[in-house]
């Protein structure tokens, strides 16, 4: 409409991302079809049976943005059912969407995909949340179950959880500092 400006650069960037996602999806479908994944088992079962290629980035090994975003959705739904961490995730709808988006952006970049989240924000964002090792381990348990449910290869899942373990100190520091005082 008159008076509104369209950010052409942003639209172009989003279209490029969409095209890349479609290309990755087509490649996954092609690979699944070549590996006999269409026999009622679906893509997750076909992916589970495929060999894990450790020469690829962790981002590629877990299935890229599509699997990461789906894994985050599964994880957040499971978190709301898990008494160990439910209180951290029972928020209003808008806050939940914001948390999902940030977690997805962080994991995507952390695993070798597009860096959409500044990892330097991890520590300050979690400092006052009183997250203990117990809570962090619960989150890792649920994330691992979510990736396996998606059909991510067990070795890639194991490596993803190990990578996430590297940020433990940044997530739990606030609670650790207060416990030592």
């Amino acid at each position: 409409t008159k008076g509104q400006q369209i950010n052409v650069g942003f639209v172009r960037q989003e279209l490029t991302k969409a095209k890349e996602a479609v290309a990755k999806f087509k490649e996954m479908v092609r690979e699944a079809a070549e590996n006999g994944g269409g026999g009622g088992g679906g893509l997750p079962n076909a992916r589970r049976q495929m060999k894990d290629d450790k020469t690829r980035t962790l981002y590629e090994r877990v299935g890229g943005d599509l699997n990461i975003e789906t894994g985050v959705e599964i994880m957040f739904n499971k978190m709301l059912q898990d008494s160990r961490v439910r209180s951290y995730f029972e928020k209003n709808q808008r806050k939940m969407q914001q948390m999902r988006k940030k977690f997805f952006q962080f994991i995507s970049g952390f695993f070798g995909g597009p860096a959409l989240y500044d990892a330097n924000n991890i520590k300050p964002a979690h400092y006052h949340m009183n997250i203990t090792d117990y809570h962090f381990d619960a989150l890792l348990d649920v994330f691992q179950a979510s990736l396996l449910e998606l059909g991510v290869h067990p070795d890639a899942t194991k490596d993803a959880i190990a990578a996430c373990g590297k940020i433990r100190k940044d997530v739990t520091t606030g609670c650790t500092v207060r416990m030592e005082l």
Side-chain angles (χ1 to χ4, degrees):
T1 62
K2 198 173 195 177
Q4 288 182 330
Q5 294 290 324
I6 295 175
N7 184 336
V8 176
F10 174 79
V11 172
R12 193 172 283 137
Q13 182 181 13
E14 292 302 310
L15 283 172
T16 301
K17 286 181 193 176
K19 286 179 182 178
E20 290 172 358
V22 168
K24 287 178 185 177
F25 177 75
K26 286 180 179 178
E27 179 65 19
M28 286 173 56
V29 170
R30 186 190 60 73
E31 287 178 10
E34 288 176 358
N35 292 311
L43 287 175
N45 290 335
R47 178 174 236 53
R48 189 174 288 136
Q49 294 169 356
M50 292 181 359
K51 186 177 182 208
D52 182 35
D53 182 0
K54 293 192 182 227
T55 63
R56 299 173 78 180
T57 65
L58 190 51
Y59 171 82
E60 294 169 321
R61 291 171 57 206
V62 299
D65 279 348
L66 183 62
N67 266 8
I68 293 172
E69 188 169 12
T70 306
V72 168
E73 288 299 316
I74 292 170
M75 181 190 83
F76 269 75
N77 290 333
K78 287 179 181 284
M79 294 292 208
L80 293 172
Q81 306 303 315
D82 192 319
S83 61
R84 300 173 295 175
V85 291
R86 181 177 39 238
S87 63
Y88 292 104
F89 295 91
E90 286 181 321
K91 309 294 181 198
N92 67 50
Q93 194 65 21
R94 191 167 153 203
K95 181 67 174 174
M96 288 287 292
Q97 283 304 108
Q98 182 183 35
M99 289 168 53
R100 281 179 165 101
K101 180 180 177 183
K102 286 181 180 180
F103 192 83
F104 160 73
Q105 289 174 336
F106 170 73
I107 291 296
S108 180
F110 192 65
F111 287 178
L116 304 170
Y117 184 85
D118 183 1
N120 292 325
N121 289 335
I122 294 288
K123 193 177 214 173
H126 295 88
Y127 188 82
H128 297 291
M129 291 184 179
N130 289 324
I131 299 172
T132 65
D133 285 328
Y134 173 79
H135 300 116
F136 190 82
D137 288 338
L139 182 135
L140 291 181
D141 289 347
V142 173
F143 191 45
Q144 179 176 17
S146 301
L147 291 175
L148 290 171
E149 184 177 319
L150 265 174
V152 174
H153 193 281
D155 290 342
T157 298
K158 180 181 172 186
D159 291 348
I161 298 306
C164 288
K166 293 177 183 177
I167 63 165
R168 174 186 299 271
K169 185 177 176 184
D170 290 338
V171 173
T172 62
T173 294
C175 188
T176 303
V177 167
R178 284 187 288 286
M179 289 172 71
E180 290 177 359
L181 292 178

